[in-house]
Amino acid sequence: MSQVHSRTFRVDLEVPAAYGARVGNRRVQEQTFRLLAPFADLLDHDSNPNEVCCEWGVERVVGNDVGSDFLNGVAFVVKASRDIQKGSEAIISYGERSDPHFFMYYGFLLKKNPFNRAPLFRKLQKGARWCAQLCGHPQENDEVCARERDATVAETDQDGGDGGVLGIMDGAAKATAREAAALQVGENATVDDRLFRSFHVLSGEVEIAVAAARTRAAEVLSAMNKATANRDERSSGAAALAASFRGRRRALLRGIV
């Protein structure tokens, strides 16, 4: 997958109504495409904004309105975003991505990724249910308790997770939406604010919310260790890369525990 995906650029183009996708009864006026742009795909990424010196995008050539062939007249453009010293490398940003995105869709890991994260829960609703059980709420499945959890989730996650439009996204965009919906821990022992706020509301104490986050991180770390206990981490280059990916995820979890 990474061999194909890493050669493409994801763009959103205006689409005539006749070609537009539908979400329910709503007509979508933009559609996502992946473009092959020879030579541009050789540009490297850096997560440090001070190192990025170019930006890319698509532009419609003047005089080419959107017609029946809506791809006609579209130009792929790479521009310098600042002065570039002669002989220096032209660098772009692939986005503020976590390790899973680079690992799956580009086939590499950054030496240092300030945006790396590890999921504790895939959805806030699951996190709220887990916290209620941990705190020993009586009759956890009672309708009143369920309404309390739902209200907490609605107040904490007003964006509604993936927004319900995964059906019209490509694979990478779906993965990005799912990652955004997940409750995660990051570099420097940071915890997703939505998760911490929901734990705080459900437990009633900041200290309990902190302890709950640490308990969950320990659970996820233990499950990872059990799942990979018998794997050969050195059998190939791909296996070594996967082992590095798992090691970095464990490090994030240990930072919370």
Side-chain angles (χ1 to χ4, degrees), residues 35-58:
L35 303 182
L36 288 169
F39 300 108
D41 61 1
L42 298 176
L43 292 169
D44 283 335
H45 161 87
D46 201 303
S47 290
N48 183 351
N50 295 324
E51 297 297 328
V52 175
C53 55
C54 294
E55 55 188 27
W56 61 270
V58 291

Side-chain angles (χ1 to χ4, degrees), residues 177-253:
R178 283 192 289 264
E179 183 176 344
L183 288 307
Q184 307 183 84
V185 296
E187 296 288 344
N188 302 315
T190 56
V191 178
D192 190 303
D193 184 60
R194 295 170 300 165
L195 181 68
F196 187 78
R197 282 188 288 135
S198 66
F199 280 8
H200 185 194
V201 171
L202 291 170
S203 67
E205 297 287 345
V206 172
E207 293 79 4
I208 296 177
V210 172
R214 288 175 172 166
T215 299
R216 178 57 181 175
E219 285 184 0
V220 176
L221 180 59
S222 177
M224 279 193 66
N225 291 336
K226 290 179 181 178
T228 59
N230 298 318
R231 287 185 179 175
D232 183 358
E233 305 281 271
R234 300 168 296 175
S235 59
S236 67
L241 184 64
S244 177
F245 167 79
R246 290 189 290 269
R248 287 157 62 129
R249 177 166 285 190
R250 288 190 186 97
L252 292 177
L253 294 168

